[in-house]
Amino acid sequence: MTIVFAGLERAVRNMDSARHVVLVDAIASGDPEAARAAVLEHMEDAEANLG
């Protein structure tokens, strides 16, 4: 719902595939700490973008 109400431009920017490839790569690395850090950074970026 946050994405929908943020407006089209911010929603599209937030859903950019390059932002999500980082998460996939971090999870695929098998390093739980790297995956955790990637998710935290991802969510902070999303908050900044949508807020």
Side-chain angles (χ1 to χ4, degrees):
M1 292 308 291
T2 301
I3 293 169
V4 170
F5 287 110
L8 181 61
E9 183 179 321
R10 285 197 260 173
V12 168
R13 189 171 52 235
N14 190 65
M15 298 307 294
D16 181 63
S17 62
R19 291 186 69 245
H20 293 88
V21 168
V22 174
L23 296 176
V24 173
D25 290 346
I27 293 167
S29 77
D31 179 351
E33 201 49 47
R36 180 181 182 280
V39 169
L40 288 175
E41 183 176 346
H42 176 85
M43 296 308 292
E44 288 171 0
D45 290 347
E47 179 183 21
N49 182 43
L50 297 171

